[in-house]
């Protein structure tokens, strides 16, 4: 039995609507960040303009009366590019240098702990053998989440380790983005670059999540519903 075309769109839009409501009604929180003061219109303007531009594209290329004439390649470029712009614009609300902010919230010794723990694994088999007990001594986020993010940082640190000279030359650029890199011992150059690669992998994965979503909704409903679902996800 096929699902009516508007149902997947509603299911995908619901989390975005709840999140937007939380931003409007929440006191002191913007995009999950604690703030001492409300966001000014200047700080929110880039995100507002990005949303207007993105919604305009969606109306023309996805739901408009002539949407069927728009090539699929143009739609993908618009949706993926729009997702990148929206992520950067959202980060710019709380971070004056948004590209730095995208890395900054992933790199931390004492906030999320994913890069710290993942980059310091030597033997995956021994870690997973005692994962339940080991995780109780970790920072709160990795302690209560599956090891997926830590595996990303472990893998990217291994890749960075293949190029130690390159890691040493790039580390001064990325080390300031490690937030509170005050641990003993501090992250090595290879770990810093491994963390940068891990943050990039997360950003890319979040951006390209619309592709499997499109395929899933297309199987469950119509192609137009699939495009609409993929278009709504970046706005969440």
């Amino acid at each position: 039995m096929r699902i009516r075309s508007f149902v997947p769109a509603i299911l995908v839009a619901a989390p975005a609507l709840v999140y937007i409501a939380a931003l409007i009604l929440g006191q002191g929180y913007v995009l999950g960040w604690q703030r001492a003061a409300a966001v000014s219109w200047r700080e929110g303007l880039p995100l507002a303009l990005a949303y207007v531009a993105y919604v305009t594209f969606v109306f023309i290329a996805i739901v408009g009366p002539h949407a069927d004439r728009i090539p699929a390649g143009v739609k993908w470029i618009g949706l993926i590019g729009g997702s990148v712009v929206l992520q950067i614009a959202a980060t710019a609300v709380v971070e004056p240098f948004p590209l730095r902010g995208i890395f900054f919230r992933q790199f931390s010794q004492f906030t999320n702990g994913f890069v710290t723990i993942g980059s310091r694994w030597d033997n995956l088999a021994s870690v997973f053998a005692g994962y339940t007990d080991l995780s109780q001594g970790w920072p709160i986020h990795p302690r209560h989440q599956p090891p997926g993010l830590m595996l990303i940082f472990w893998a990217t640190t291994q890749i960075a380790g293949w190029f130690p000279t390159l890691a040493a030359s790039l580390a001064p650029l990325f080390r300031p983005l490690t937030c509170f890199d005050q641990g003993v011992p501090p992250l090595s150059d290879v770990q810093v670059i491994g963390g940068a690669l891990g943050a990039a992998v997360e950003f890319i994965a979040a951006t390209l999540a619309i592709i499997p979503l499109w395929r899933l909704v297309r199987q469950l409903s119509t192609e137009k519903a699939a495009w609409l679902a993929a278009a709504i996800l970046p706005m969440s």
Side-chain angles (χ1 to χ4, degrees):
M1 183 179 69
R2 296 180 69 82
I3 299 174
R4 294 179 66 89
S5 61
F6 63 85
V7 174
I10 292 175
L11 293 176
V12 174
L17 296 177
V18 171
Y19 189 57
I20 291 171
L23 292 180
I24 295 173
L25 300 176
Q27 297 293 323
Y29 282 90
V30 178
L31 301 172
W33 291 59
Q34 179 75 44
R35 292 181 62 93
V39 174
S40 70
W41 69 269
R42 292 180 183 273
E43 293 171 315
L45 184 60
L47 180 58
L49 293 176
Y51 262 91
V52 169
Y54 183 77
V55 170
T56 301
F57 172 81
V58 170
F59 178 78
I60 294 173
I62 306 298
V63 299
H66 305 296
D68 292 341
R69 302 178 185 177
I70 306 297
V74 173
K75 294 179 180 180
W76 281 122
I77 291 173
L79 295 184
I80 293 174
S83 178
V84 171
V85 172
L86 285 175
Q87 290 183 72
I88 294 174
T91 306
V93 174
V94 293
E95 169 59 59
F97 305 101
L99 291 178
R100 184 187 72 173
I102 288 170
F103 286 98
F104 193 75
R105 64 176 181 254
Q106 311 297 345
F107 272 12
S108 177
Q109 291 275 48
F110 300 122
T111 55
N112 61 42
F114 292 117
V115 60
T116 303
I117 294 170
S119 66
R120 288 179 175 164
W121 279 353
D122 293 320
N123 188 320
L124 287 181
S126 63
V127 171
F128 283 113
Y131 184 82
T132 302
D133 294 330
L134 283 173
S135 63
Q136 296 309 304
W138 294 344
I140 186 169
H141 290 337
R143 186 191 314 165
H144 296 291
Q145 294 190 20
L149 284 174
M150 289 172 283
L151 281 172
I152 289 176
F153 285 119
W154 176 86
T156 53
T157 301
Q158 306 310 304
I159 293 172
W162 298 341
F163 308 97
T165 302
L166 180 62
S169 64
L170 293 177
L173 176 64
F174 287 97
R175 188 173 292 278
L177 309 184
T178 57
C179 193
F180 302 105
D181 183 19
Q182 300 169 359
V184 180
L187 295 176
S188 68
D189 292 342
V190 166
Q191 290 168 331
V192 167
I193 299 307
L197 291 174
V201 168
E202 288 187 63
F203 184 85
I204 293 170
T207 302
L208 298 183
I210 63 175
I211 297 176
L213 174 65
W214 181 87
R215 293 178 63 88
L216 174 63
V217 177
R218 189 187 184 195
Q219 291 178 350
L220 297 175
S221 186
T222 64
E223 183 169 343
K224 187 170 185 178
W227 283 116
L228 184 58
I232 291 174
L233 182 61
M235 292 189 286
S236 65

